[in-house]
Amino acid sequence: LRAARFDTGVLTRHLGGLGISALCTAIAFPLYPHFDPVNIVMVYLLGATVAGLRLGRGPAALTAIANTAAFDFFFVPPRYSLFVANTQYLFTLGVMLGVAFVIANLMVNVRRQTEAAAERERRTALLYALSRELAAAADAVTIADVAVRHVASSLGEPGAVLLPNEEGKLCVHVPGSSDSDNSLVDLSAACRVYDHNQDGVEEITGQEPGKPLYLRLACGEHALGVLVVQSRNGGHLLPEQRALLDALTGLVALALERAHLAELAAAARASAERAALRNTLLASISHDLRGPLSAIAGAGSLVAQSSGSLDRHRRKTLGNLIEEKARDMSELLTNVLDLIRLETGKSALRADWQSVEDLAGIAVRNVEHRFGGRRIITDIPTEFPPVFVDGQLAVQLLTNLLENATKHTPTGTSIAIRAAVRDSRAVLRIEDDGPGFGARDPEDLFEKFERGQKESHVSGVGLGLAICRAIVHLHGGEIRASNRDTGGARFEFTLPLESLEIEAVEAVS
Amino acid sequence: MTRAMHRVLVIEDDPAIRKVLSMLFETNGFRVVTADTCELGVRQAQTYRPDVCIVDLGLPDGDGIHFIRKVRGWSPVAILVLTARVAELQRLAAFEAGADDYVIKPFSSPELLARVRAIMRRIARSDQPAAVVRLGTAFIDLVNRVTRGPNGEEVHLTPLEHRILECLARHADSVVTHTQVLKEVWGPHQIDIRALRVYVASLRRKLELDPARPRYIVTEPGVGYRLVTDAEVESAERPARTRP
């Protein structure tokens, strides 16, 4: 079928060449009475030029011959005969034929060059557009999407990109297509291309008709993925297409390498941060655990060794001391583990609808043994909408803030929990009327190991507020500390909120 | 004392905690059997028929829940689990497997003892479910549907509030999971947990002296609710903390 179409194309173009020749003759006829035959030759040369420009080498040659023959037949005396009476016309005919050939040839070359230039321009534009999009793509999957889209738009063929996953196994990325397209990708062939170095590729990519083309995306020896191009028609790619594809592959490989390096750099940065955090934690923990540990050891040995010499009251005091110190240590440990969990982002947020009143109630219950003579005021509107939070973390957030307030205020003061809705978010405040933060920047308090008073009698390592900040940020909120106008400290944070649709529920029940 | 001693089975892999628990229960008039693995625990439970099992969920192979499932297959014995504070999901799984109550590690001995005693009392009276629930000064007659608030005034409970209270009272002093409440009150029509929270908040406003700090209708974070009918539990739950 393809061969037949090819023939008709050639035939049409040759017929076109004869047509041009006929047209020239038709134009020349009315000119003949007024022009010298030599000038009529110009009409034919014009025709030969057009044929060269439009139809290619073969038809142009045919036109040149037909033109010469037509000029001889119609205009060279004796007219309407191929016979040439005057020998100088033989020279004219010879030059005419030669010039027509040369012009046709020149025109064909001009046309080729124009086409090549246009093709080059198109390719440059495509590659430019590709590189611009690749520069904007941040991760490997986006790069794969861009690559596949460009293969489709520039070659008109569907493609796919295979990228290694965490375990180094190749996975297919075909954006916006169904699974049936994925089945066209032969994973084992892709793996062979991926695992072998460049030498091994040629034999595998040596394209058989109808088989997809596998191209290794690599920078030097380092393979980053495989680009698969499906040849829908089962035909070979044209050399220009292949060149374009190679350029495209190079660009995509570079982009993947860049993304890969960026990932490595981010991982290195995160690991350095973790190491720094770990070191600070270790230093701080060992310091803060040693205190309670020596108290426990001392109290324990005292109870064990002094048989009968301790009265009931003293034994009770020592027992309480052991319990309290052990609890402090447990709390510290929990805080440290929580912070590591929150900061490394390993814990998934188990968000659910929670009532603020309920959360505050649990938090108050958690710390009420520490309130002493302090008064707690809960000021939450009755119909306050539920918040969408991780209950456990939210309780811890409130507990830490309340604990913080009790630690830093004298007895007899009051601590208030207030809630309001602002910009469709819940705004919660923990306010006290203690001494406040003084002149220092209260925002510093959210840093790890930052304590209100250095080396004070107040227990804790300064992780409580850092944990609060981490929890609020996990919920996409903000936390701020400030001095109240009336004196005292205020912590304010936001939590996600959605209005309650109780009507629908009532309808069901 | 003529009444038979209650039997406690302690399943805990840490020998120190096992020793402390043994001492705690022995000095408080219990007979104690211990086990350090799930398998041994199941065998002990079959042999000694304990009244209460104390199970540590934090075993490395996580077979605390395995134990609960196995024992629940044939015994209504009371099961109290010891869990870490952060292990919320594990706690929920324990309740779904059939645990009755939990205590968070590190626990205080009086709290644990109070919880165990509350479970025993509940088992003792489980034959006749309470018709009258007293929450401090508040009073609910479940049969005649008469409710008095904490200040002695008569309050009106909506039918749903009444059913939620009934459900909590059926399991008074023990934990009722959210799923359980939803199932027992709403049946197969599963509704939003948000609605349950709203009804509970409303119940608290009607029955609690200080709704912001509920004493009787208590939220168990991440698990469900507990109706505290026993003032002793609540006061013993908070260990005395003397600060120097």
PDB file of all heavy atoms in Angstrom, chain B residues 12 54-59 65 68 80-95 99 101-107 112 221 223:
ATOM      1  N   GLU B  12       3.575 -10.325  81.958  1.00  0.00           N
ATOM      2  CA  GLU B  12       4.512  -9.204  81.786  1.00  0.00           C
ATOM      3  C   GLU B  12       5.894  -9.795  81.585  1.00  0.00           C
ATOM      4  O   GLU B  12       6.299 -10.690  82.314  1.00  0.00           O
ATOM      5  CB  GLU B  12       4.435  -8.324  83.040  1.00  0.00           C
ATOM      6  CG  GLU B  12       5.578  -7.376  83.231  1.00  0.00           C
ATOM      7  CD  GLU B  12       5.597  -6.266  82.200  1.00  0.00           C
ATOM      8  OE1 GLU B  12       4.616  -5.517  82.105  1.00  0.00           O
ATOM      9  OE2 GLU B  12       6.606  -6.185  81.455  1.00  0.00           O
ATOM     10  N   ILE B  54      -3.888  -9.114  84.113  1.00  0.00           N
ATOM     11  CA  ILE B  54      -3.175  -7.872  83.812  1.00  0.00           C
ATOM     12  C   ILE B  54      -2.213  -8.221  82.675  1.00  0.00           C
ATOM     13  O   ILE B  54      -1.318  -9.044  82.840  1.00  0.00           O
ATOM     14  CB  ILE B  54      -2.346  -7.381  85.021  1.00  0.00           C
ATOM     15  CG1 ILE B  54      -3.156  -7.453  86.311  1.00  0.00           C
ATOM     16  CG2 ILE B  54      -1.780  -6.004  84.758  1.00  0.00           C
ATOM     17  CD1 ILE B  54      -4.156  -6.377  86.508  1.00  0.00           C
ATOM     18  N   VAL B  55      -2.411  -7.600  81.501  1.00  0.00           N
ATOM     19  CA  VAL B  55      -1.620  -7.977  80.330  1.00  0.00           C
ATOM     20  C   VAL B  55      -0.809  -6.785  79.843  1.00  0.00           C
ATOM     21  O   VAL B  55      -1.362  -5.696  79.635  1.00  0.00           O
ATOM     22  CB  VAL B  55      -2.540  -8.447  79.175  1.00  0.00           C
ATOM     23  CG1 VAL B  55      -1.699  -8.974  78.028  1.00  0.00           C
ATOM     24  CG2 VAL B  55      -3.503  -9.497  79.662  1.00  0.00           C
ATOM     25  N   ASP B  56       0.471  -6.998  79.687  1.00  0.00           N
ATOM     26  CA  ASP B  56       1.316  -5.958  79.104  1.00  0.00           C
ATOM     27  C   ASP B  56       1.221  -6.050  77.583  1.00  0.00           C
ATOM     28  O   ASP B  56       1.483  -7.096  77.004  1.00  0.00           O
ATOM     29  CB  ASP B  56       2.766  -6.171  79.563  1.00  0.00           C
ATOM     30  CG  ASP B  56       3.680  -5.108  78.985  1.00  0.00           C
ATOM     31  OD1 ASP B  56       3.163  -4.057  78.550  1.00  0.00           O
ATOM     32  OD2 ASP B  56       4.894  -5.334  78.952  1.00  0.00           O
ATOM     33  N   LEU B  57       0.820  -4.935  76.950  1.00  0.00           N
ATOM     34  CA  LEU B  57       0.690  -4.966  75.486  1.00  0.00           C
ATOM     35  C   LEU B  57       2.030  -4.705  74.813  1.00  0.00           C
ATOM     36  O   LEU B  57       2.210  -4.976  73.646  1.00  0.00           O
ATOM     37  CB  LEU B  57      -0.297  -3.902  75.015  1.00  0.00           C
ATOM     38  CG  LEU B  57      -1.776  -4.180  75.205  1.00  0.00           C
ATOM     39  CD1 LEU B  57      -2.573  -3.133  74.462  1.00  0.00           C
ATOM     40  CD2 LEU B  57      -2.139  -5.562  74.723  1.00  0.00           C
ATOM     41  N   GLY B  58       2.958  -4.142  75.570  1.00  0.00           N
ATOM     42  CA  GLY B  58       4.221  -3.719  74.960  1.00  0.00           C
ATOM     43  C   GLY B  58       5.219  -4.838  74.772  1.00  0.00           C
ATOM     44  O   GLY B  58       6.411  -4.603  74.718  1.00  0.00           O
ATOM     45  N   LEU B  59       4.752  -6.053  74.684  1.00  0.00           N
ATOM     46  CA  LEU B  59       5.673  -7.164  74.430  1.00  0.00           C
ATOM     47  C   LEU B  59       6.228  -7.023  73.018  1.00  0.00           C
ATOM     48  O   LEU B  59       5.529  -6.555  72.126  1.00  0.00           O
ATOM     49  CB  LEU B  59       4.933  -8.495  74.575  1.00  0.00           C
ATOM     50  CG  LEU B  59       4.322  -8.735  75.957  1.00  0.00           C
ATOM     51  CD1 LEU B  59       3.443  -9.968  75.934  1.00  0.00           C
ATOM     52  CD2 LEU B  59       5.390  -8.865  77.014  1.00  0.00           C
ATOM     53  N   ILE B  65      -2.322  -8.637  72.574  1.00  0.00           N
ATOM     54  CA  ILE B  65      -3.634  -8.659  71.924  1.00  0.00           C
ATOM     55  C   ILE B  65      -4.005 -10.081  71.523  1.00  0.00           C
ATOM     56  O   ILE B  65      -5.163 -10.503  71.633  1.00  0.00           O
ATOM     57  CB  ILE B  65      -3.616  -7.704  70.708  1.00  0.00           C
ATOM     58  CG1 ILE B  65      -3.625  -6.269  71.231  1.00  0.00           C
ATOM     59  CG2 ILE B  65      -4.817  -7.948  69.799  1.00  0.00           C
ATOM     60  CD1 ILE B  65      -3.296  -5.233  70.224  1.00  0.00           C
ATOM     61  N   ILE B  68      -5.473 -11.682  74.492  1.00  0.00           N
ATOM     62  CA  ILE B  68      -6.858 -11.257  74.748  1.00  0.00           C
ATOM     63  C   ILE B  68      -7.812 -12.018  73.835  1.00  0.00           C
ATOM     64  O   ILE B  68      -8.826 -12.557  74.278  1.00  0.00           O
ATOM     65  CB  ILE B  68      -7.016  -9.740  74.520  1.00  0.00           C
ATOM     66  CG1 ILE B  68      -6.089  -8.975  75.455  1.00  0.00           C
ATOM     67  CG2 ILE B  68      -8.457  -9.310  74.745  1.00  0.00           C
ATOM     68  CD1 ILE B  68      -6.027  -7.495  75.166  1.00  0.00           C
ATOM     69  N   LEU B  80      -7.270  -6.343  81.985  1.00  0.00           N
ATOM     70  CA  LEU B  80      -6.787  -4.969  82.070  1.00  0.00           C
ATOM     71  C   LEU B  80      -5.432  -4.923  81.377  1.00  0.00           C
ATOM     72  O   LEU B  80      -4.575  -5.768  81.643  1.00  0.00           O
ATOM     73  CB  LEU B  80      -6.655  -4.567  83.542  1.00  0.00           C
ATOM     74  CG  LEU B  80      -6.316  -3.117  83.833  1.00  0.00           C
ATOM     75  CD1 LEU B  80      -7.064  -2.654  85.076  1.00  0.00           C
ATOM     76  CD2 LEU B  80      -4.841  -2.904  84.007  1.00  0.00           C
ATOM     77  N   VAL B  81      -5.270  -3.975  80.442  1.00  0.00           N
ATOM     78  CA  VAL B  81      -4.011  -3.934  79.701  1.00  0.00           C
ATOM     79  C   VAL B  81      -3.135  -2.779  80.170  1.00  0.00           C
ATOM     80  O   VAL B  81      -3.624  -1.742  80.603  1.00  0.00           O
ATOM     81  CB  VAL B  81      -4.237  -3.844  78.172  1.00  0.00           C
ATOM     82  CG1 VAL B  81      -4.929  -5.075  77.668  1.00  0.00           C
ATOM     83  CG2 VAL B  81      -5.013  -2.602  77.819  1.00  0.00           C
ATOM     84  N   LEU B  82      -1.837  -3.006  80.096  1.00  0.00           N
ATOM     85  CA  LEU B  82      -0.850  -1.966  80.379  1.00  0.00           C
ATOM     86  C   LEU B  82      -0.297  -1.506  79.041  1.00  0.00           C
ATOM     87  O   LEU B  82       0.182  -2.319  78.259  1.00  0.00           O
ATOM     88  CB  LEU B  82       0.298  -2.535  81.222  1.00  0.00           C
ATOM     89  CG  LEU B  82      -0.064  -3.144  82.578  1.00  0.00           C
ATOM     90  CD1 LEU B  82       1.177  -3.756  83.208  1.00  0.00           C
ATOM     91  CD2 LEU B  82      -0.650  -2.095  83.491  1.00  0.00           C
ATOM     92  N   THR B  83      -0.405  -0.210  78.735  1.00  0.00           N
ATOM     93  CA  THR B  83       0.085   0.262  77.437  1.00  0.00           C
ATOM     94  C   THR B  83       0.928   1.510  77.592  1.00  0.00           C
ATOM     95  O   THR B  83       0.859   2.196  78.613  1.00  0.00           O
ATOM     96  CB  THR B  83      -1.064   0.619  76.468  1.00  0.00           C
ATOM     97  OG1 THR B  83      -1.555   1.920  76.832  1.00  0.00           O
ATOM     98  CG2 THR B  83      -2.184  -0.368  76.526  1.00  0.00           C
ATOM     99  N   ALA B  84       1.711   1.776  76.546  1.00  0.00           N
ATOM    100  CA  ALA B  84       2.468   3.028  76.506  1.00  0.00           C
ATOM    101  C   ALA B  84       1.518   4.150  76.114  1.00  0.00           C
ATOM    102  O   ALA B  84       0.483   3.906  75.488  1.00  0.00           O
ATOM    103  CB  ALA B  84       3.599   2.911  75.500  1.00  0.00           C
ATOM    104  N   ARG B  85       1.872   5.375  76.483  1.00  0.00           N
ATOM    105  CA  ARG B  85       0.974   6.498  76.225  1.00  0.00           C
ATOM    106  C   ARG B  85       0.728   6.705  74.733  1.00  0.00           C
ATOM    107  O   ARG B  85      -0.381   7.002  74.308  1.00  0.00           O
ATOM    108  CB  ARG B  85       1.556   7.780  76.810  1.00  0.00           C
ATOM    109  CG  ARG B  85       0.635   8.976  76.717  1.00  0.00           C
ATOM    110  CD  ARG B  85       1.342  10.229  77.150  1.00  0.00           C
ATOM    111  NE  ARG B  85       2.500  10.496  76.328  1.00  0.00           N
ATOM    112  CZ  ARG B  85       2.438  11.108  75.145  1.00  0.00           C
ATOM    113  NH1 ARG B  85       1.293  11.501  74.671  1.00  0.00           N
ATOM    114  NH2 ARG B  85       3.524  11.309  74.432  1.00  0.00           N
ATOM    115  N   VAL B  86       1.807   6.530  73.945  1.00  0.00           N
ATOM    116  CA  VAL B  86       1.686   6.850  72.512  1.00  0.00           C
ATOM    117  C   VAL B  86       0.953   5.771  71.723  1.00  0.00           C
ATOM    118  O   VAL B  86       0.521   6.002  70.617  1.00  0.00           O
ATOM    119  CB  VAL B  86       3.066   7.100  71.875  1.00  0.00           C
ATOM    120  CG1 VAL B  86       3.625   8.403  72.369  1.00  0.00           C
ATOM    121  CG2 VAL B  86       3.993   5.944  72.162  1.00  0.00           C
ATOM    122  N   ALA B  87       0.803   4.571  72.325  1.00  0.00           N
ATOM    123  CA  ALA B  87       0.284   3.441  71.550  1.00  0.00           C
ATOM    124  C   ALA B  87      -1.238   3.468  71.475  1.00  0.00           C
ATOM    125  O   ALA B  87      -1.919   2.552  71.916  1.00  0.00           O
ATOM    126  CB  ALA B  87       0.769   2.136  72.160  1.00  0.00           C
ATOM    127  N   GLU B  88      -1.763   4.573  70.909  1.00  0.00           N
ATOM    128  CA  GLU B  88      -3.210   4.756  70.894  1.00  0.00           C
ATOM    129  C   GLU B  88      -3.921   3.690  70.052  1.00  0.00           C
ATOM    130  O   GLU B  88      -4.940   3.146  70.464  1.00  0.00           O
ATOM    131  CB  GLU B  88      -3.515   6.127  70.320  1.00  0.00           C
ATOM    132  CG  GLU B  88      -4.706   6.784  70.965  1.00  0.00           C
ATOM    133  CD  GLU B  88      -4.848   8.195  70.453  1.00  0.00           C
ATOM    134  OE1 GLU B  88      -5.091   8.357  69.256  1.00  0.00           O
ATOM    135  OE2 GLU B  88      -4.717   9.123  71.258  1.00  0.00           O
ATOM    136  N   LEU B  89      -3.327   3.401  68.898  1.00  0.00           N
ATOM    137  CA  LEU B  89      -3.954   2.423  67.996  1.00  0.00           C
ATOM    138  C   LEU B  89      -3.966   1.038  68.628  1.00  0.00           C
ATOM    139  O   LEU B  89      -4.941   0.296  68.524  1.00  0.00           O
ATOM    140  CB  LEU B  89      -3.202   2.372  66.672  1.00  0.00           C
ATOM    141  CG  LEU B  89      -3.461   3.539  65.743  1.00  0.00           C
ATOM    142  CD1 LEU B  89      -2.576   3.435  64.522  1.00  0.00           C
ATOM    143  CD2 LEU B  89      -4.925   3.564  65.323  1.00  0.00           C
ATOM    144  N   GLN B  90      -2.860   0.722  69.298  1.00  0.00           N
ATOM    145  CA  GLN B  90      -2.731  -0.572  69.946  1.00  0.00           C
ATOM    146  C   GLN B  90      -3.787  -0.709  71.048  1.00  0.00           C
ATOM    147  O   GLN B  90      -4.404  -1.754  71.216  1.00  0.00           O
ATOM    148  CB  GLN B  90      -1.329  -0.658  70.535  1.00  0.00           C
ATOM    149  CG  GLN B  90      -0.917  -2.049  70.911  1.00  0.00           C
ATOM    150  CD  GLN B  90       0.343  -2.027  71.742  1.00  0.00           C
ATOM    151  OE1 GLN B  90       0.592  -1.094  72.493  1.00  0.00           O
ATOM    152  NE2 GLN B  90       1.132  -3.062  71.603  1.00  0.00           N
ATOM    153  N   ARG B  91      -4.002   0.400  71.769  1.00  0.00           N
ATOM    154  CA  ARG B  91      -4.989   0.417  72.838  1.00  0.00           C
ATOM    155  C   ARG B  91      -6.376   0.139  72.266  1.00  0.00           C
ATOM    156  O   ARG B  91      -7.145  -0.658  72.789  1.00  0.00           O
ATOM    157  CB  ARG B  91      -4.965   1.800  73.484  1.00  0.00           C
ATOM    158  CG  ARG B  91      -5.320   1.792  74.937  1.00  0.00           C
ATOM    159  CD  ARG B  91      -5.196   3.193  75.487  1.00  0.00           C
ATOM    160  NE  ARG B  91      -3.860   3.739  75.299  1.00  0.00           N
ATOM    161  CZ  ARG B  91      -3.601   5.032  75.202  1.00  0.00           C
ATOM    162  NH1 ARG B  91      -4.587   5.904  75.267  1.00  0.00           N
ATOM    163  NH2 ARG B  91      -2.383   5.445  75.036  1.00  0.00           N
ATOM    164  N   LEU B  92      -6.657   0.818  71.153  1.00  0.00           N
ATOM    165  CA  LEU B  92      -7.955   0.636  70.511  1.00  0.00           C
ATOM    166  C   LEU B  92      -8.124  -0.821  70.074  1.00  0.00           C
ATOM    167  O   LEU B  92      -9.176  -1.432  70.267  1.00  0.00           O
ATOM    168  CB  LEU B  92      -8.058   1.572  69.311  1.00  0.00           C
ATOM    169  CG  LEU B  92      -9.444   1.781  68.731  1.00  0.00           C
ATOM    170  CD1 LEU B  92     -10.364   2.364  69.778  1.00  0.00           C
ATOM    171  CD2 LEU B  92      -9.367   2.703  67.533  1.00  0.00           C
ATOM    172  N   ALA B  93      -7.029  -1.386  69.517  1.00  0.00           N
ATOM    173  CA  ALA B  93      -7.075  -2.786  69.075  1.00  0.00           C
ATOM    174  C   ALA B  93      -7.347  -3.695  70.270  1.00  0.00           C
ATOM    175  O   ALA B  93      -8.100  -4.667  70.166  1.00  0.00           O
ATOM    176  CB  ALA B  93      -5.756  -3.165  68.406  1.00  0.00           C
ATOM    177  N   ALA B  94      -6.744  -3.360  71.416  1.00  0.00           N
ATOM    178  CA  ALA B  94      -6.949  -4.177  72.619  1.00  0.00           C
ATOM    179  C   ALA B  94      -8.411  -4.149  73.030  1.00  0.00           C
ATOM    180  O   ALA B  94      -8.992  -5.180  73.388  1.00  0.00           O
ATOM    181  CB  ALA B  94      -6.067  -3.667  73.749  1.00  0.00           C
ATOM    182  N   PHE B  95      -9.029  -2.952  72.957  1.00  0.00           N
ATOM    183  CA  PHE B  95     -10.443  -2.861  73.338  1.00  0.00           C
ATOM    184  C   PHE B  95     -11.316  -3.627  72.362  1.00  0.00           C
ATOM    185  O   PHE B  95     -12.280  -4.267  72.752  1.00  0.00           O
ATOM    186  CB  PHE B  95     -10.888  -1.400  73.419  1.00  0.00           C
ATOM    187  CG  PHE B  95     -10.560  -0.799  74.740  1.00  0.00           C
ATOM    188  CD1 PHE B  95      -9.550   0.125  74.863  1.00  0.00           C
ATOM    189  CD2 PHE B  95     -11.240  -1.198  75.879  1.00  0.00           C
ATOM    190  CE1 PHE B  95      -9.226   0.654  76.092  1.00  0.00           C
ATOM    191  CE2 PHE B  95     -10.927  -0.674  77.111  1.00  0.00           C
ATOM    192  CZ  PHE B  95      -9.912   0.258  77.224  1.00  0.00           C
ATOM    193  N   ALA B  99     -10.597  -6.206  75.665  1.00  0.00           N
ATOM    194  CA  ALA B  99     -10.062  -5.744  76.943  1.00  0.00           C
ATOM    195  C   ALA B  99     -11.121  -4.922  77.675  1.00  0.00           C
ATOM    196  O   ALA B  99     -12.000  -4.341  77.046  1.00  0.00           O
ATOM    197  CB  ALA B  99      -8.815  -4.906  76.718  1.00  0.00           C
ATOM    198  N   ASP B 101     -10.260  -2.654  80.401  1.00  0.00           N
ATOM    199  CA  ASP B 101      -9.758  -1.362  80.850  1.00  0.00           C
ATOM    200  C   ASP B 101      -8.268  -1.296  80.559  1.00  0.00           C
ATOM    201  O   ASP B 101      -7.670  -2.295  80.160  1.00  0.00           O
ATOM    202  CB  ASP B 101     -10.025  -1.188  82.352  1.00  0.00           C
ATOM    203  CG  ASP B 101     -10.155   0.284  82.713  1.00  0.00           C
ATOM    204  OD1 ASP B 101      -9.664   1.121  81.934  1.00  0.00           O
ATOM    205  OD2 ASP B 101     -10.739   0.590  83.757  1.00  0.00           O
ATOM    206  N   TYR B 102      -7.701  -0.113  80.754  1.00  0.00           N
ATOM    207  CA  TYR B 102      -6.266   0.013  80.519  1.00  0.00           C
ATOM    208  C   TYR B 102      -5.649   0.948  81.544  1.00  0.00           C
ATOM    209  O   TYR B 102      -6.336   1.777  82.141  1.00  0.00           O
ATOM    210  CB  TYR B 102      -5.992   0.533  79.114  1.00  0.00           C
ATOM    211  CG  TYR B 102      -6.320   2.001  78.921  1.00  0.00           C
ATOM    212  CD1 TYR B 102      -5.330   2.977  79.012  1.00  0.00           C
ATOM    213  CD2 TYR B 102      -7.612   2.408  78.654  1.00  0.00           C
ATOM    214  CE1 TYR B 102      -5.635   4.311  78.837  1.00  0.00           C
ATOM    215  CE2 TYR B 102      -7.925   3.738  78.483  1.00  0.00           C
ATOM    216  CZ  TYR B 102      -6.934   4.691  78.574  1.00  0.00           C
ATOM    217  OH  TYR B 102      -7.239   6.007  78.406  1.00  0.00           O
ATOM    218  N   VAL B 103      -4.349   0.781  81.715  1.00  0.00           N
ATOM    219  CA  VAL B 103      -3.580   1.698  82.551  1.00  0.00           C
ATOM    220  C   VAL B 103      -2.316   2.017  81.765  1.00  0.00           C
ATOM    221  O   VAL B 103      -1.710   1.130  81.173  1.00  0.00           O
ATOM    222  CB  VAL B 103      -3.237   1.057  83.915  1.00  0.00           C
ATOM    223  CG1 VAL B 103      -2.224   1.906  84.656  1.00  0.00           C
ATOM    224  CG2 VAL B 103      -4.494   0.900  84.744  1.00  0.00           C
ATOM    225  N   ILE B 104      -1.972   3.306  81.750  1.00  0.00           N
ATOM    226  CA  ILE B 104      -0.820   3.718  80.963  1.00  0.00           C
ATOM    227  C   ILE B 104       0.456   3.585  81.777  1.00  0.00           C
ATOM    228  O   ILE B 104       0.490   3.932  82.957  1.00  0.00           O
ATOM    229  CB  ILE B 104      -1.020   5.174  80.482  1.00  0.00           C
ATOM    230  CG1 ILE B 104      -2.069   5.199  79.381  1.00  0.00           C
ATOM    231  CG2 ILE B 104       0.286   5.761  79.982  1.00  0.00           C
ATOM    232  CD1 ILE B 104      -2.465   6.576  78.953  1.00  0.00           C
ATOM    233  N   LYS B 105       1.474   3.052  81.124  1.00  0.00           N
ATOM    234  CA  LYS B 105       2.779   2.939  81.773  1.00  0.00           C
ATOM    235  C   LYS B 105       3.533   4.243  81.596  1.00  0.00           C
ATOM    236  O   LYS B 105       3.459   4.825  80.529  1.00  0.00           O
ATOM    237  CB  LYS B 105       3.576   1.792  81.144  1.00  0.00           C
ATOM    238  CG  LYS B 105       3.019   0.441  81.493  1.00  0.00           C
ATOM    239  CD  LYS B 105       4.060  -0.646  81.332  1.00  0.00           C
ATOM    240  CE  LYS B 105       4.454  -0.852  79.892  1.00  0.00           C
ATOM    241  NZ  LYS B 105       5.289  -2.052  79.698  1.00  0.00           N
ATOM    242  N   PRO B 106       4.292   4.733  82.550  1.00  0.00           N
ATOM    243  CA  PRO B 106       4.475   4.164  83.884  1.00  0.00           C
ATOM    244  C   PRO B 106       3.235   4.408  84.746  1.00  0.00           C
ATOM    245  O   PRO B 106       2.740   5.533  84.792  1.00  0.00           O
ATOM    246  CB  PRO B 106       5.677   4.914  84.420  1.00  0.00           C
ATOM    247  CG  PRO B 106       5.735   6.184  83.649  1.00  0.00           C
ATOM    248  CD  PRO B 106       5.126   5.916  82.329  1.00  0.00           C
ATOM    249  N   PHE B 107       2.765   3.371  85.402  1.00  0.00           N
ATOM    250  CA  PHE B 107       1.521   3.482  86.157  1.00  0.00           C
ATOM    251  C   PHE B 107       1.827   3.738  87.627  1.00  0.00           C
ATOM    252  O   PHE B 107       2.945   3.498  88.095  1.00  0.00           O
ATOM    253  CB  PHE B 107       0.706   2.199  86.018  1.00  0.00           C
ATOM    254  CG  PHE B 107       1.483   0.976  86.393  1.00  0.00           C
ATOM    255  CD1 PHE B 107       1.531   0.558  87.716  1.00  0.00           C
ATOM    256  CD2 PHE B 107       2.163   0.251  85.434  1.00  0.00           C
ATOM    257  CE1 PHE B 107       2.254  -0.563  88.067  1.00  0.00           C
ATOM    258  CE2 PHE B 107       2.892  -0.867  85.787  1.00  0.00           C
ATOM    259  CZ  PHE B 107       2.943  -1.283  87.106  1.00  0.00           C
ATOM    260  N   LEU B 112      -3.646   1.584  89.577  1.00  0.00           N
ATOM    261  CA  LEU B 112      -3.837   0.240  89.038  1.00  0.00           C
ATOM    262  C   LEU B 112      -4.757  -0.568  89.948  1.00  0.00           C
ATOM    263  O   LEU B 112      -5.703  -1.220  89.476  1.00  0.00           O
ATOM    264  CB  LEU B 112      -2.479  -0.447  88.896  1.00  0.00           C
ATOM    265  CG  LEU B 112      -2.491  -1.872  88.347  1.00  0.00           C
ATOM    266  CD1 LEU B 112      -3.135  -1.907  86.978  1.00  0.00           C
ATOM    267  CD2 LEU B 112      -1.081  -2.428  88.277  1.00  0.00           C
ATOM    268  N   PRO B 221      -9.004   9.452  75.577  1.00  0.00           N
ATOM    269  CA  PRO B 221      -8.477   9.935  74.302  1.00  0.00           C
ATOM    270  C   PRO B 221      -8.196   8.809  73.306  1.00  0.00           C
ATOM    271  O   PRO B 221      -7.542   7.831  73.649  1.00  0.00           O
ATOM    272  CB  PRO B 221      -7.175  10.624  74.699  1.00  0.00           C
ATOM    273  CG  PRO B 221      -7.287  10.868  76.158  1.00  0.00           C
ATOM    274  CD  PRO B 221      -8.235   9.897  76.725  1.00  0.00           C
ATOM    275  N   VAL B 223      -9.955   6.511  72.244  1.00  0.00           N
ATOM    276  CA  VAL B 223     -10.630   5.231  72.412  1.00  0.00           C
ATOM    277  C   VAL B 223     -12.136   5.400  72.502  1.00  0.00           C
ATOM    278  O   VAL B 223     -12.888   4.840  71.706  1.00  0.00           O
ATOM    279  CB  VAL B 223     -10.106   4.496  73.669  1.00  0.00           C
ATOM    280  CG1 VAL B 223     -10.816   3.176  73.829  1.00  0.00           C
ATOM    281  CG2 VAL B 223      -8.610   4.290  73.590  1.00  0.00           C
TER     282      VAL B 223
END
